[in-house]
């Protein structure tokens, strides 16, 4: 039992891996919050997509009119999808990067910039900020993931 | 060769990690099945989105009429996207959680409830069940992932 | 410090894990390129979805006409979503598979076929190739992930 425990916690004892775990948990929680924001806008804007979701508004046409798209709902959904497209590569490549033996300070720099960029991206999308606000925050996060992928391929390449 | 093998299997020898591997494989396979269900509805409802997919139905207008959206197809696709939005955080945070040294029984509780909730969510979406069936199954899975994220941040926090 | 370094790099010293890291980085970079291709088509086709993205084209109706969908843009976006639906399970199950102690040659076979199939899938989607080009490349990648999931469940099963 003891030996197993020791094994299971050795990765989490590594500082770079702890930093990876921290920032991965933060960006994934941030991504999950998009679901709550979508739900908030769906309810306040009364804009649903599934008939069973409008059943509490009555039957027939009185409920049907709430089966519609709303600009704010669609905006949050686009932000959520953009998170999936960018946070999935960060989580996958970031894990390999954390295991490729980078300096703690370099790793922290990557994780912090990515996390900051994605939080900014969400605000830029939802407020919305004028471009190139959203574009730049997207590009910064994207570049960080590419930089980590380069380190992974340089360290691990086995084709 | 032996030494390497031993190294590569040590994580998989850990019981919490084995439980994580089992339930992650199950929920990811469940998510992958959504592709097959989408294909099934696209073919039986004759509702396609790419012109090259309707070529076997002939040319011109006889094929074009099958380029359309279908309520059942769109429902499966929404279920699939909801899986991506919720199973991706589970897989990412669950890995870190499994490495953070939880009790096996606590970890199994998290993994089992999440997996059950997501399977229920799929049935609630596809049948469909009246609300709050789908909403509750979503919320249960969501809460399990948050609970694991809390444990990860408590164990690993390094900002 | 030394000890930690050794710990952090042991997984990356394992050949199967290095192969996993290499192909995972490649398919995730491939997926990320879909964002650039989407941006390229949005700009050359002048087809945007957010009002703030068309502000540089002037105000009022002169900018509003660029808020439209374009067949090429939508095609790339469908390819991107299909990547998410298929590459996410590969990355998650592939990691568990790499840790389940497969032979290097078997693992390389899985990773190479999956990566080749997904690159073919992208070309089949974007050119587009006549069916069943895209369908087959999708099915090959899908089957590889299932094969790895089977090995993971056979090795790790703990329900």
């Amino acid at each position: 039992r003891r030996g197993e425990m020791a094994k299971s916690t050795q990765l989490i004892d590594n500082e770079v891996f702890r930093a990876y775990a921290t920032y991965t948990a933060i960006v994934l929680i941030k991504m999950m919050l998009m679901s709550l924001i979508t739900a908030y806008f769906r309810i306040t804007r009364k804009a649903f997509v599934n008939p069973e979701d409008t059943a509490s508004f009555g039957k027939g046409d009185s409920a049907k009119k709430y089966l519609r798209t709303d600009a704010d709902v669609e905006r949050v959904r686009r932000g959520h999808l953009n998170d999936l497209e960018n946070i999935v590569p960060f989580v996958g490549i970031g894990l390999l990067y954390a295991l490729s033996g980078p300096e703690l300070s370099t790793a922290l720099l990557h994780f912090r910039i990515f996390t900051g960029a994605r939080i900014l991206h969400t605000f830029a999308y939802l407020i919305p900020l004028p471009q190139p606000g959203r574009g730049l925050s997207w590009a910064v996060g994207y570049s960080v993931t590419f930089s980590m992928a380069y380190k992974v391929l340089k360290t691990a390449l086995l084709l």
Side-chain angles (χ1 to χ4, degrees), chain A:
Chain A
R1 179 104 203 125
R2 266 278 78 202
E4 240 171 62
M5 215 61 169
K7 252 189 266 172
S8 79
T9 50
Q10 68 187 2
L11 263 177
I12 218 81
D13 287 344
N14 174 275
E15 285 193 314
V16 170
F17 194 81
R18 280 177 54 203
Y20 167 74
T22 301
Y23 287 97
T24 289
I26 290 171
V27 289
L28 287 175
I29 288 170
K30 192 225 78 57
M31 187 171 90
M32 289 173 71
L33 291 180
M34 302 306 275
S35 298
L36 293 185
I37 301 174
T38 301
Y40 170 78
F41 279 113
R42 281 205 184 284
I43 290 165
T44 55
R45 266 65 170 166
K46 291 206 172 77
F48 300 91
V49 64
N50 295 299
E52 67 269 27
D53 300 353
T54 62
S56 62
F57 299 117
K59 288 193 174 183
D61 288 345
S62 61
K64 234 180 211 169
K65 69 179 171 200
Y66 301 123
L67 293 177
R68 57 189 189 85
T69 57
D70 171 87
D72 290 325
V73 171
E74 296 308 307
R75 183 173 280 278
V76 186
R77 293 183 65 227
R78 289 196 298 277
H80 200 166
L81 186 57
N82 195 281
D83 271 354
L84 270 172
E85 292 170 357
N86 288 279
I87 290 176
V88 162
F90 171 81
V91 171
I93 291 172
L95 173 67
L96 306 171
Y97 171 76
L99 298 173
S100 73
E103 286 294 319
L104 177 60
S105 57
T106 317
L108 276 171
L109 196 69
H110 281 81
F111 301 156
R112 285 171 182 160
I113 293 175
F114 181 87
T115 304
R118 292 311 302 180
I119 291 171
L120 270 177
H121 182 271
T122 301
F123 280 104
Y125 220 146
L126 296 190
I127 293 178
L129 296 182
Q131 286 284 26
R134 194 183 87 239
L136 279 183
S137 60
W138 172 84
V140 168
Y142 197 82
S143 307
V144 167
T145 307
F146 253 99
S147 166
M148 297 193 305
Y150 174 78
K151 172 73 160 74
V152 168
L153 289 176
K154 218 181 58 172
T155 311
L157 194 69
L158 191 157
L159 279 165

